[in-house]
Amino acid sequence: MPALADLIRVSVRELSHGYYSSEQIESAIRHVFGPDTQLIADQTYYVIAAGRALAAAGGWSRRRHLYGGDQMRGAEDPLLDPATEAARIRAFFVHPSWARRGLGRRLFEHCAAAAAQAGFRTLELMATLPGVPLYKALGFAECERVTPTLADGVPFPVVRMARSIEPPVI
């Protein structure tokens, strides 16, 4: 968990410049981004290691919660119905030293395959502004732009995105 928390902080701080202000970045680290122990417990969260360090992490969920670490989750996080609801793509973070090397795409492909195997046919996520180009390249379309106000009053723009899962090739 400490290595994951470190990866999240460095990823958000370094890769968010030019998209968010320093105040927004630090507020989001405090109030939004952090490890999500439910993803880990559900065994739907994956990491890519580089030696003893984490290079990237990301996952998917069959639960209703759309984004944010443990500090954002309420008591209930019910399961989704794969026949009528979209699986969630969640908590993707790449260490800046490993950015733009295909690790996010690799994690996504693994997540999409696992969600399809669980019966889901669509995916949904809440993207940070630096994540939007990656998700567009992965076939996601923008559904809506929203700007929630974080617990300390700081606005933090994000983009809800969705796409279908291609049927598996047999």
Side-chain angles (χ1 to χ4, degrees):
M1 291 300 282
L4 181 56
D6 288 345
L7 170 66
I8 292 168
R9 283 190 296 270
V10 72
S11 177
V12 173
R13 282 190 178 119
E14 297 297 319
L15 300 178
S16 295
H17 288 289
Y19 294 93
Y20 297 114
S21 69
S22 294
E23 179 185 32
Q24 288 172 310
I25 292 168
E26 293 307 315
S27 179
I29 289 171
R30 277 190 308 279
H31 302 292
V32 179
F33 301 121
D36 184 327
T37 54
Q38 185 66 64
L39 290 176
I40 295 166
D42 288 345
Q43 299 182 343
T44 59
Y45 200 63
Y46 314 105
V47 298
I48 297 175
R52 299 185 115 173
L54 296 182
W60 73 280
S61 181
R62 60 179 54 93
R63 297 183 181 273
R64 190 154 316 284
H65 194 69
L66 186 57
Y67 70 100
D70 286 350
Q71 70 271 43
M72 281 195 63
R73 188 181 9 272
E76 290 188 37
D77 197 4
L79 294 173
L80 299 164
D81 177 358
T84 60
E85 297 177 288
R88 311 308 196 209
I89 295 297
R90 299 279 321 280
F92 272 55
F93 300 98
V94 177
H95 192 283
S97 301
W98 289 90
R100 292 164 191 77
R101 295 190 193 188
L103 299 184
R105 180 178 293 275
R106 215 163 103 198
L107 284 167
F108 169 74
E109 289 168 354
H110 187 76
C111 291
Q117 186 173 18
F120 288 93
R121 293 295 163 242
T122 57
L123 301 170
E124 185 176 12
L125 59 85
M126 189 66 83
T128 59
L129 299 181
V132 169
L134 167 66
Y135 295 119
K136 281 186 175 180
L138 293 172
F140 282 84
E142 288 189 26
C143 299
E144 68 176 326
R145 289 180 175 255
V146 296
T147 305
T149 300
L150 303 183
D152 54 7
V154 174
F156 192 73
V158 289
V159 181
R160 190 171 62 84
M161 304 179 81
R163 67 161 278 185
S164 64
I165 301 175
E166 289 82 23
V169 178
I170 299 176

